[in-house]
Each structure stands twice: as structure tokens, then as C-alpha cells.
Amino acid sequence: MSEVLRVAVAGLGTVGAETVRLLQLRREDLGRRAGRPIELVAVSARDRARNRGIDLSGVAWEDDAVALARRDDVDLVCELIGGSEGPARTLVETALAAGKQVVTANKALLAHHGTALAKTAEAGGVTLGYEAAVAGGIPIIRALRQGLVANSIGRVYGILNGTCNYILTAMRESGRAFDDVLAEAQELGYAEADPSFDVDGIDAAHKLSLLAALVFGREVDFDGVHVEGIRPVSPLDIAYAEEFGFRIKLLGIAEEAPEGVRQRVHPCMVRKDAPIAQVEGVFNAVVAEGDAVGTTLYLGRGAGAGPTASAVIGDIVDVAAGRRAPVFGIAAAELRAAEPAPMEALEGRYYVRLMVIDRPGVLADVTAILRDEHVSMESMLQQGRDPMEKVPVALTTHEVDEASMRRALEKIGRLDAVQEPPAMIRIVEL
């Protein structure tokens, strides 16, 4: 076999510890698959005394993660610290500048600095691997960059956050409210103590910005992603969705539009018979629509120590075997400007739920506003009656542009009989 690939791992949380464990457990097999030995030579983490259930005897320890990038006996730095700034960014930048290979699971870092980091890596002739940053154990980056290279991809979308998918699944199955299911998800370890990045859609937006850059050959544009989370979704909305023949999923969608590329993360109503509607619990799924291959779906666990470490080691083996490709599919210098398409120009169907005082004339006022904004109503449901009390009314529309829909909802929200801001969920045809 040829020269050893010497690896350093920064960050020994659940993913980092599992990466070390698998590198040691599968050392001989990985070496055979790569065509050269792979050796763990150094690590770094905040707490040296912590028992992580792994054997670090004979492995060098650095208290400062950035020191790993300066070691002469390190060829590849694996960054598993996390965060878009601070030590993670400094480590990756230092390692790339020193001509070292880099593998990372850090979607936030790449969403904010991916284009610049790709240029640095490619200028130095080294790899920046990030399979683990998008959809965990699903090899979607490899599939899009290599397996589907013959295709022009018109749209890529998916369930990119397992926490949100678990919460929406549990809400539908149990009828419980968001806060109750979120607390359960935290107890089970599916949600962080501060779940904001997950439930507010930021985590999914990070991942979507990387997929969009790869698929459409454009610079990473996290700021161009329209982001909405799942906090406003109520059990009532989920029940109405079932009656209308839909399920609610938090989707990340990137698609070409006449104005550029539209990137959006928000709750969607999808037909119950759509394949992605069947993806439940903590699972992730990504769908790519290619002109040659048609529609392809990739399903698996999108987070957790095992799936993420699996993707990390896949990138390490690629480096060891000498397999290298431009970070985002084409040379970073050739990535086009982002040119985000505005959400206001989006055309589609909508679900709307109103909480109104049950009195004569209310629905006439609502339909008049919809008419004036050229919003055509497809169907309406009102369950039960309670004169002069608050009752829910749900409706779906025919296709309309988002700007008109927003104007209509703003006007409807100002009606005296409307007791809460209107709830709106986009209906997505898949």
C-alpha cells in the first residue's frame, strides 16, 4: 500500500467520538477500500478528562483545535466542532491555507462562508468534503455531484430536518399541540435544549443553500433563502390537512425560476399519496428532478452519531483514494452570482385557516376580499356552528401569485370578526 493518510479530528462530541470509534474499528477495511492506510494521529476537544468510550492512547491531544492544522504529521483535518464562526472557521481556514485536506459536517459554516472556502480549497489543490453537512447519512452530495452529473436538475427539495419531521409526525398521530410534542422530542434527544435552529427552519435553510449551490452552479446564498418554521402549525391545521387530502411537512425547496433561483423553507401541504408524505419520524428525504433520470428520492437518517460519522468517513476514504471533485460541482471561480428569485412572484395554491366570530355576513366579507385580490377559492370547510362565538373556517385556493395572497390575508386579518391572524400554508404539487 502507498503512504498513510494521517487524520486529525477536532471536536469529540457524539459525532466526533463515533467517527474516531469507526476509524479505529474499521481501520483495516477502510485501508483496503481506500488503497492506502488511514491513521488517526491527533484529536482536540474542550474536556480532556471526559470519558467518551473511545481509546485515545497513542493519539496526540491538542487543547487548541487550530493547532491541528499546523501539525506536520497531519494530512487531513476533520472539523466536527460546529458553528459558523469561532474555532471552527479558524481551523478550516488555517488548514486549507496550509494545504491540508478538510472534511466537515458543519452546514452553518459552509452556508455562511462556503463560496470563499471552496475557492481557497481549489486554489490549494485540496479537498473540502461536506457530505455529512447535508442530510446526515444520506449520500446526497455524492449523488448530485457525480451520479446525476448527466442531468440538468430543475428542482431539488426535501425533508432536511429530522426534529421537525418527528414533531409534525407526532402531532398528526396524537393530536397534541406543538409545545407538548417538542418537550417530548427534547426528552428523547431528538431536539436540543434550545430548539430554535431546528423548529424555526434555520438548520434546513443552511442545508438547502448548499444543495442549491451544487445543483444550480451558483454561489452559496443563505441570505437568499426564505425561511419559516413550524411553530405556527396547529393540531387544527393538521386535521384540516387530512380532510383536504394532505399532510404537512417542513420542506426545503430550491428551483429555477425566470428571475433566478428560488430557495424556500416552510411548512408545506403535500398530497398524502406523494412519496415524501410517507417519510415519517426523524427520517430525512431528498428528491432531485433531472431531465434525463426523472425523479429520484434519497431516504435515510439525517442526523445522529452513526449516520453523520458514516458520511464523514466516506469523505475521508475519498480523499485517501484520491477521488476529488470541485466543492460545488464546478470550479468555485465559475459559480454564478446567486440572483435570488423573490417569494412574491411565486405562483401556487394555498391553505388558509381563519378563526372568526360566527355571525351573518362574515364569509361574504372574506370572499369579497379574495375576489378583489383575484384569489379564486377551491374549497371551504367549517366544522360545527357556535353563533356569536369563535369558530374555525378553512379554505384552499386555486393557483395565485404570493403577492396577491398576502395582500388578501392582510385585509382579511383586519376584519372585526377575525379573531386571530390568518394561518397560511402553501400547497406544493410534487
Side-chain angles (χ1 to χ4, degrees), residues 339-395:
E339 296 182 19
M343 280 296 290
E344 290 77 6
L346 176 69
E347 292 190 357
R349 298 171 58 215
Y350 295 82
Y351 156 90
V352 175
R353 176 180 52 80
L354 308 174
M355 299 301 294
V356 303
I357 298 297
D358 187 4
R359 69 189 185 202
V362 173
L363 295 184
D365 292 340
V366 169
T367 55
I369 291 172
L370 295 175
R371 178 203 63 211
D372 292 345
E373 292 296 340
H374 308 288
V375 178
S376 175
M377 188 168 58
E378 181 182 59
S379 57
M380 177 181 287
L381 286 174
Q382 179 178 350
Q383 296 179 334
R385 295 210 54 198
D386 194 358
M388 302 310 293
E389 297 296 329
K390 185 168 67 173
V391 296
V393 174
L395 60 92

Side-chain angles (χ1 to χ4, degrees), residues 3-352:
E3 186 178 353
V4 174
L5 178 72
R6 300 165 300 181
V7 176
V9 175
L12 294 177
T14 56
V15 173
E18 181 65 5
T19 298
V20 167
R21 190 186 74 83
L22 290 176
L23 282 173
Q24 294 174 332
L25 178 67
R26 307 263 161 80
R27 179 180 177 185
E28 291 187 8
D29 187 47
L30 294 174
R32 284 193 294 267
R33 291 177 180 273
R36 62 191 287 201
I38 299 172
E39 181 181 350
L40 177 69
V41 298
V43 297
S44 177
R46 285 181 294 186
D47 182 2
R48 189 167 186 169
R50 179 182 167 191
N51 181 8
R52 298 173 173 85
I54 52 177
D55 181 9
L56 295 177
S57 59
V59 178
W61 180 283
E62 295 285 357
D63 292 318
D64 178 10
V66 181
L68 296 175
R70 303 190 182 103
R71 291 181 65 100
D72 293 334
D73 62 346
V74 168
D75 305 308
L76 182 150
V77 172
C78 183
E79 183 274 306
L80 301 174
I81 301 170
S84 62
E85 305 297 336
R89 181 182 179 185
T90 303
L91 171 61
V92 171
E93 290 177 338
T94 304
L96 292 175
K100 298 187 186 298
Q101 318 285 348
V102 171
V103 170
T104 181
N106 193 337
K107 61 264 185 182
L109 174 68
L110 295 173
H112 288 280
H113 308 292
T115 302
L117 293 173
K119 289 179 179 178
T120 301
E122 291 170 22
V126 294
T127 291
L128 174 58
Y130 61 102
E131 184 69 71
V134 181
I138 303 173
I140 188 61
I141 301 302
R142 193 170 284 105
L144 292 172
R145 189 165 53 192
Q146 299 170 16
L148 299 181
V149 70
N151 289 260
S152 173
I153 306 294
R155 178 168 69 169
V156 61
Y157 62 89
I159 296 169
L160 302 176
N161 185 272
T163 299
C164 289
N165 204 43
Y166 172 83
I167 290 172
L168 291 173
T169 298
M171 288 177 68
R172 190 189 80 250
E173 292 177 346
S174 69
R176 290 177 292 158
F178 170 83
D179 288 338
D180 185 24
V181 176
L182 172 60
E184 176 187 79
Q186 289 170 320
E187 290 177 6
L188 294 172
Y190 295 150
E192 301 288 345
D194 179 359
S196 301
F197 262 47
D198 292 321
V199 301
D200 293 333
I202 304 302
D203 175 78
H206 284 151
K207 298 168 184 174
L208 184 69
S209 68
L210 304 181
L211 290 175
L214 177 58
V215 166
F216 300 115
R218 294 179 182 267
E219 295 179 346
V220 182
D221 182 28
F222 172 71
D223 291 336
V225 184
H226 174 85
V227 187
E228 299 173 22
I230 65 169
R231 293 182 196 267
V233 178
S234 73
L236 196 54
D237 296 322
I238 291 174
Y240 274 127
E242 290 287 317
E243 287 207 44
F244 283 124
F246 298 108
R247 287 197 176 154
I248 299 176
K249 298 290 184 182
L250 182 79
L251 296 184
I253 304 171
E255 57 199 344
E256 288 191 301
E259 307 88 353
V261 172
R262 182 175 293 113
Q263 303 177 81
R264 48 193 176 112
V265 171
H266 53 73
C268 298
M269 284 194 178
V270 298
R271 290 285 177 193
K272 285 195 280 190
D273 60 0
I276 207 161
Q278 312 305 314
V279 180
E280 304 284 32
V282 296
F283 279 79
N284 280 196
V286 181
V287 177
E289 297 175 347
D291 59 346
V293 75
T295 299
T296 58
L297 182 147
Y298 306 84
L299 171 69
R301 293 190 177 275
T308 307
S310 172
V312 167
I313 291 174
D315 278 342
I316 293 172
V317 170
D318 274 353
V319 170
R323 294 187 287 265
R324 188 164 69 88
V327 177
F328 294 111
I330 62 174
E334 297 180 11
L335 294 172
R336 292 175 289 165
E339 296 182 19
M343 280 296 290
E344 290 77 6
L346 176 69
E347 292 190 357
R349 298 171 58 215
Y350 295 82
Y351 156 90
V352 175

